[in-house]
């Protein structure tokens, strides 16, 4: 890894991660397959998997083959599943590395079967059913196609799953309709003599609110990292945000009334103002939409971002906060200790969701793990 000379880091609280896993376990007795795609929602996938594995988790879900291969390099003894599509041409890699693909086309299953036969191995597969998400998956009427897939040599049809489009909304009618379609298809497969041991449908909100969706396996993502799938959903659960973003002050000065800060003079001082500069910006995931619109915490006090967030630097107003010095630590985005500046709050300001904020913390920011 590149050596880090600038004082910016994302702190990842492993005790909070474990706490969140234990909270999830209160909601379900089904097996938990944590979703660790996108570098574990920005938290650093290798460390996250190491901790969860120590807590007894055996199976992990990622979005793409390259993410699974990265994990396979570090962990030979976990079950890995790719929950997004993998092109048929990469079937041999899947078989060789023992990675479970999502199957949503007969062609893809045929290629995998051929690879398994050639390598003299059995490839586990999970079939994805589109019951209403409208993204990927065999449509729920694809009984004949699934029958064909189930007869292909070299494959073990271990799982069947679907994804819910509205599990985080106040109205769960559509989610129940999706589950009904899924159940109906599963029953018909069973009657046709196709027994599939694992069914799964539950993302985070469904794990918390829809016990009917738990089946044999749940696939929570965001709540593991301590954030709610939508504002207000299961607030009482007590998840703890795991990541905070921190930096140290690299420059400090006082400007006069009428002087400005940053590009476009977006901030103009209306009084003598003490300005501190932080060495991070939108290239690190501190979004430009936070210009003049966010507060950071220094010495337990709030200090507003002033002017435009730059690519690599951001200015804050520390007027009236005593003894602010070069090198002082600033919390730019808070974990559970500073919920008022959490990723969820940041998402609200930027009109997005906490997922996008967390995934957006850039690769230039080193992850520092605390409370192992
Ligand atoms: C991302 C994803 C999840 C996890 O979703 P959360 O809302 O983060 O819990 C589960 N299943 C699938 C198919 C996904 O793509």
């Amino acid at each position: 890894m590149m050596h880090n000379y600038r004082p910016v880091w994302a702190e990842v609280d492993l005790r909070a991660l474990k706490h969140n896993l234990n909270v999830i376990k209160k909601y379900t007795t089904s097996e938990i397959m944590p979703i660790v795609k996108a570098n574990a929602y920005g938290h650093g996938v290798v460390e996250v998997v190491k901790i969860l594995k120590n807590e007894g988790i055996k199976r992990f879900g990622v979005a793409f083959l390259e993410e699974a291969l990265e994990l396979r390099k570090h962990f030979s003894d976990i079950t890995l599943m790719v929950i997004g599509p993998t092109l048929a041409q990469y079937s041999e890699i899947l078989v060789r590395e023992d990675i479970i693909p999502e199957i949503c086309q007969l062609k893809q299953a045929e290629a995998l079967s051929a690879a398994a036969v050639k390598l003299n191995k059995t490839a586990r597969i999970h079939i994805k059913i589109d019951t209403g998400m409208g993204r990927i998956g065999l449509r729920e009427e694809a009984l004949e196609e699934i029958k064909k897939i189930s007869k292909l040599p070299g494959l073990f049809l271990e799982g069947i799953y679907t994804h819910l489009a509205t599990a985080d909304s106040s109205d769960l009618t559509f989610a129940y309709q999706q589950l009904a379609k899924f159940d109906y298809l599963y029953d018909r497969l069973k009657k046709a003599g196709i027994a599939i041991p694992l069914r799964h449908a539950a993302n985070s909100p469904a794990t918390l609110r829809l016990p009917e969706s738990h089946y044999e396996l749940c696939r929570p993502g965001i709540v593991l990292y301590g954030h709610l799938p939508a504002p207000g959903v299961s607030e009482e659960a007590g998840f703890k945000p795991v990541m905070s973003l921190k930096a140290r002050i690299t420059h400090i000065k006082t400007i006069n009334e009428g002087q400005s800060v940053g590009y476009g003079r977006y901030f103009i001082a209306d009084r003598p103002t003490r300005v501190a500069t932080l060495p991070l910006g939108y290239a690190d995931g501190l979004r430009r939409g936070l210009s003049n619109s966010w507060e950071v915490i220094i010495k337990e006090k709030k200090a507003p971002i002033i002017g435009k967030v730059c690519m690599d630097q951001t200015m804050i107003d520390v007027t009236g906060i005593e003894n602010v010095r070069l090198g002082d630590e600033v919390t730019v985005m808070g974990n559970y200790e500073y919920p008022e500046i959490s990723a969820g709050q940041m998402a609200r300001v930027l009109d997005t969701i906490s997922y996008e904020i967390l995934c957006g913390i850039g690769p230039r920011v080193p992850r520092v793990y605390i409370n192992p």
Side-chain angles (χ1 to χ4, degrees), residues 3-133:
H3 187 84
N4 200 58
Y5 295 99
R6 74 166 167 159
V8 169
W9 67 102
E11 213 164 82
V12 176
D13 187 325
L14 298 173
R15 195 188 297 150
L17 179 69
K18 285 185 245 179
H19 165 85
N20 296 332
L21 177 65
N22 286 324
V23 173
I24 294 170
K25 284 180 181 166
K26 287 187 200 156
Y27 285 83
T28 187
T29 53
S30 301
E31 184 183 348
I32 293 164
M33 175 170 77
I35 301 300
V36 294
K37 58 194 176 189
N39 197 25
Y41 292 47
H43 292 67
V45 71
V46 172
E47 202 63 31
V48 165
V49 167
K50 204 181 287 172
I51 293 295
L52 296 176
K53 186 170 172 272
N54 279 343
E55 297 294 299
I57 299 292
K58 298 187 169 62
R59 189 187 281 269
F60 295 87
V62 292
F64 299 116
L65 177 57
E66 42 271 59
E67 294 179 330
L69 290 173
E70 168 69 14
L71 279 177
R72 186 52 90 216
K73 266 198 291 192
H74 292 88
F75 306 96
S76 56
D77 56 345
I78 56 176
T79 300
L80 283 166
M81 168 160 190
V82 177
I83 54 171
T86 305
L87 297 176
Q89 69 218 67
Y90 303 119
S91 295
E92 280 195 26
I93 305 178
L94 286 165
V95 176
R96 209 174 286 129
E97 299 295 329
D98 192 17
I99 293 163
I100 303 174
E102 160 267 13
I103 295 289
C104 60
Q105 284 159 21
L106 179 57
K107 265 205 176 116
Q108 190 195 1
E110 285 169 346
L112 196 75
S113 165
V117 169
K118 181 177 163 197
L119 296 171
N120 199 19
K121 284 187 153 194
T122 301
R124 271 193 278 184
I125 60 169
H126 288 210
I127 290 181
K128 176 71 176 287
I129 307 299
D130 180 7
T131 56
M133 176 69 183

Side-chain angles (χ1 to χ4, degrees), residues 35 37 41 83 128 135 163 203-205 219-222 355:
I35 301 300
K37 58 194 176 189
Y41 292 47
I83 54 171
K128 176 71 176 287
R135 187 167 64 178
H163 194 49
N203 55 1
S204 291
R219 308 188 303 263
I222 194 75
Y355 300 66

